[in-house]
Amino acid sequence: SWEPFQAFLRSGEWVDGKVAGVLNFGAFVTITLPDGKLAQGLCHVSQLQEGFCDNPNDVVEVGQAVKVRITSIDEDRNKMSLSMVEFGSGGGGGGSRPFPARADLSPFEDVGPDEWLDGKISSTPSFGAFVMVKVPGTEEMVEGLVHITQIKEG
Protein backbone atom coordinates (compact mmCIF):
# COMPACT_ATOMS: atom_id res chain seq x y z
CA SER A 1 0.00 0.00 0.00
CA TRP A 2 1.20 3.51 -0.85
CA GLU A 3 -0.77 5.12 2.02
CA PRO A 4 2.19 5.51 4.44
CA PHE A 5 4.14 7.20 1.63
CA GLN A 6 1.16 9.41 0.69
CA ALA A 7 1.30 10.91 4.19
CA PHE A 8 4.88 12.06 3.56
CA LEU A 9 3.88 13.40 0.13
CA ARG A 10 1.20 15.55 1.77
CA SER A 11 3.44 16.74 4.63
CA GLY A 12 6.52 17.54 2.53
CA GLU A 13 8.74 16.10 5.29
CA TRP A 14 12.27 14.91 4.54
CA VAL A 15 12.75 11.14 4.42
CA ASP A 16 15.98 9.15 4.82
CA GLY A 17 17.15 7.36 1.71
CA LYS A 18 20.04 5.50 0.17
CA VAL A 19 21.13 5.86 -3.45
CA ALA A 20 20.47 2.51 -5.16
CA GLY A 21 21.53 3.45 -8.70
CA VAL A 22 22.76 6.42 -10.73
CA LEU A 23 21.88 6.96 -14.40
CA ASN A 24 22.30 9.93 -16.74
CA PHE A 25 18.69 11.08 -16.01
CA GLY A 26 18.87 10.89 -12.20
CA ALA A 27 19.24 8.58 -9.22
CA PHE A 28 17.10 5.77 -7.88
CA VAL A 29 16.79 6.13 -4.12
CA THR A 30 15.45 3.57 -1.66
CA ILE A 31 13.63 5.40 1.11
CA THR A 32 12.88 4.11 4.59
CA LEU A 33 9.93 5.49 6.54
CA PRO A 34 10.13 5.71 10.36
CA ASP A 35 7.93 2.57 10.59
CA GLY A 36 10.49 0.63 8.51
CA LYS A 37 8.53 0.52 5.23
CA LEU A 38 10.78 0.64 2.15
CA ALA A 39 10.16 1.85 -1.40
CA GLN A 40 12.28 2.98 -4.32
CA GLY A 41 11.74 6.19 -6.27
CA LEU A 42 13.45 8.32 -8.88
CA CYS A 43 15.14 11.58 -8.04
CA HIS A 44 15.29 13.23 -11.50
CA VAL A 45 18.55 14.95 -12.48
CA SER A 46 16.77 18.32 -12.14
CA GLN A 47 15.98 17.49 -8.49
CA LEU A 48 19.44 16.38 -7.31
CA GLN A 49 20.75 19.85 -6.43
CA GLU A 50 20.00 23.53 -6.73
CA GLY A 51 21.05 24.80 -10.14
CA PHE A 52 21.95 22.80 -13.20
CA CYS A 53 23.35 19.26 -12.90
CA ASP A 54 25.13 17.99 -15.99
CA ASN A 55 26.18 14.62 -14.55
CA PRO A 56 24.34 12.92 -11.66
CA ASN A 57 27.53 11.00 -10.80
CA ASP A 58 29.07 14.34 -9.78
CA VAL A 59 26.35 14.78 -7.13
CA VAL A 60 25.54 11.32 -5.73
CA GLU A 61 26.99 7.81 -5.69
CA VAL A 62 25.55 4.35 -5.07
CA GLY A 63 25.28 3.62 -1.35
CA GLN A 64 25.26 7.30 -0.34
CA ALA A 65 22.81 8.28 2.41
CA VAL A 66 20.56 11.17 1.32
CA LYS A 67 17.54 13.14 2.52
CA VAL A 68 14.69 13.39 0.01
CA ARG A 69 11.12 14.62 -0.22
CA ILE A 70 8.38 12.65 -1.98
CA THR A 71 7.04 14.92 -4.75
CA SER A 72 4.56 12.57 -6.45
CA ILE A 73 3.23 9.03 -6.36
CA ASP A 74 1.67 7.32 -9.38
CA GLU A 75 -0.04 4.27 -7.90
CA ASP A 76 -1.27 3.06 -11.32
CA ARG A 77 2.29 2.93 -12.70
CA ASN A 78 3.82 2.01 -9.32
CA LYS A 79 6.22 4.98 -9.48
CA MET A 80 7.36 7.57 -6.97
CA SER A 81 9.19 10.83 -7.70
CA LEU A 82 11.65 12.31 -5.22
CA SER A 83 13.56 15.57 -4.74
CA MET A 84 16.73 16.57 -2.89
CA VAL A 85 15.99 20.27 -3.50
CA GLU A 86 14.22 22.64 -1.09
CA PHE A 87 10.75 23.60 -2.32
CA GLY A 88 10.86 26.96 -4.09
CA SER A 89 14.66 27.03 -4.40
CA GLY A 90 14.65 26.54 -8.14
CA GLY A 91 16.26 23.20 -8.74
CA GLY A 92 17.45 22.55 -12.25
CA GLY A 93 14.00 22.83 -13.74
CA GLY A 94 11.24 20.30 -14.26
CA GLY A 95 9.87 18.25 -11.42
CA SER A 96 6.34 18.07 -10.11
CA ARG A 97 6.49 20.85 -7.55
CA PRO A 98 5.22 24.41 -7.96
CA PHE A 99 7.35 26.89 -9.87
CA PRO A 100 9.67 28.88 -7.59
CA ALA A 101 9.22 32.58 -7.04
CA ARG A 102 10.95 34.73 -9.66
CA ALA A 103 14.43 35.90 -8.75
CA ASP A 104 14.87 39.57 -7.82
CA LEU A 105 16.77 40.99 -10.78
CA SER A 106 16.53 44.63 -9.66
CA PRO A 107 20.22 44.82 -8.60
CA PHE A 108 21.11 44.21 -12.27
CA GLU A 109 18.86 46.99 -13.66
CA ASP A 110 21.74 49.50 -13.82
CA VAL A 111 24.03 47.10 -15.70
CA GLY A 112 24.12 48.28 -19.31
CA PRO A 113 23.92 45.93 -22.32
CA ASP A 114 27.49 46.85 -23.27
CA GLU A 115 28.86 46.36 -19.74
CA TRP A 116 30.78 43.18 -18.88
CA LEU A 117 30.56 41.34 -15.55
CA ASP A 118 33.28 39.10 -14.18
CA GLY A 119 32.08 35.57 -13.59
CA LYS A 120 33.08 31.96 -13.15
CA ILE A 121 31.72 29.22 -15.41
CA SER A 122 30.01 26.59 -13.27
CA SER A 123 28.99 24.19 -16.06
CA THR A 124 28.82 23.97 -19.84
CA PRO A 125 25.81 22.03 -21.10
CA SER A 126 25.31 21.70 -24.87
CA PHE A 127 23.04 24.78 -24.99
CA GLY A 128 25.40 27.31 -23.38
CA ALA A 129 27.24 28.05 -20.15
CA PHE A 130 26.05 28.60 -16.60
CA VAL A 131 28.05 31.42 -15.03
CA MET A 132 28.29 32.55 -11.39
CA VAL A 133 28.38 36.35 -11.03
CA LYS A 134 28.38 38.68 -8.03
CA VAL A 135 25.15 40.62 -7.46
CA PRO A 136 26.06 44.32 -7.91
CA GLY A 137 26.58 46.06 -4.56
CA THR A 138 26.69 42.80 -2.53
CA GLU A 139 28.86 39.77 -1.91
CA GLU A 140 26.03 37.42 -2.96
CA MET A 141 26.66 35.17 -5.97
CA VAL A 142 23.96 34.11 -8.43
CA GLU A 143 24.00 31.73 -11.37
CA GLY A 144 22.80 32.67 -14.83
CA LEU A 145 22.71 31.11 -18.28
CA VAL A 146 24.63 32.46 -21.25
CA HIS A 147 22.83 30.85 -24.16
CA ILE A 148 25.00 29.30 -26.87
CA THR A 149 23.74 31.89 -29.37
CA GLN A 150 25.32 34.60 -27.18
CA ILE A 151 28.77 32.95 -27.07
CA LYS A 152 31.22 33.78 -29.80
CA GLU A 153 34.38 31.89 -30.61
CA GLY A 154 37.75 33.41 -29.91
Side-chain angles (χ1 to χ4, degrees):
S1 165
W2 283 103
E3 186 50 39
F5 298 93
Q6 292 282 4
F8 279 85
L9 170 63
R10 289 187 293 274
S11 73
E13 289 181 60
W14 292 100
V15 183
D16 291 325
K18 188 178 229 180
V19 177
V22 182
L23 299 165
N24 62 349
F25 55 85
F28 285 98
V29 177
T30 302
I31 62 171
T32 307
L33 297 185
D35 66 2
K37 289 198 182 337
L38 298 172
Q40 194 172 90
L42 173 65
C43 189
H44 187 266
V45 64
S46 65
Q47 298 301 303
L48 290 175
Q49 67 179 16
E50 293 184 33
F52 184 77
C53 173
D54 193 36
N55 183 354
N57 286 296
D58 294 340
V59 181
V60 293
E61 60 187 40
V62 173
Q64 179 180 343
V66 294
K67 292 275 191 187
V68 296
R69 290 183 195 255
I70 301 172
T71 58
S72 71
I73 295 173
D74 184 339
E75 293 185 41
D76 294 334
R77 294 175 38 192
N78 206 30
K79 293 185 176 189
M80 179 170 53
S81 297
L82 307 171
S83 177
M84 292 171 47
V85 178
E86 285 283 350
F87 289 122
S89 69
S96 52
R97 58 186 164 64
F99 285 107
R102 288 212 178 263
D104 178 16
L105 300 177
S106 59
F108 293 93
E109 287 176 350
D110 294 331
V111 177
D114 57 344
E115 191 174 341
W116 292 90
L117 298 175
D118 290 329
K120 181 179 179 188
I121 296 173
S122 54
S123 65
T124 54
S126 60
F127 51 86
F130 283 93
V131 180
M132 296 295 295
V133 296
K134 191 181 289 188
V135 175
T138 73
E139 293 300 311
E140 182 184 0
M141 299 293 287
V142 295
E143 186 176 50
L145 171 66
V146 179
H147 193 267
I148 195 165
T149 60
Q150 301 299 310
I151 299 173
K152 54 183 178 173
E153 293 188 37

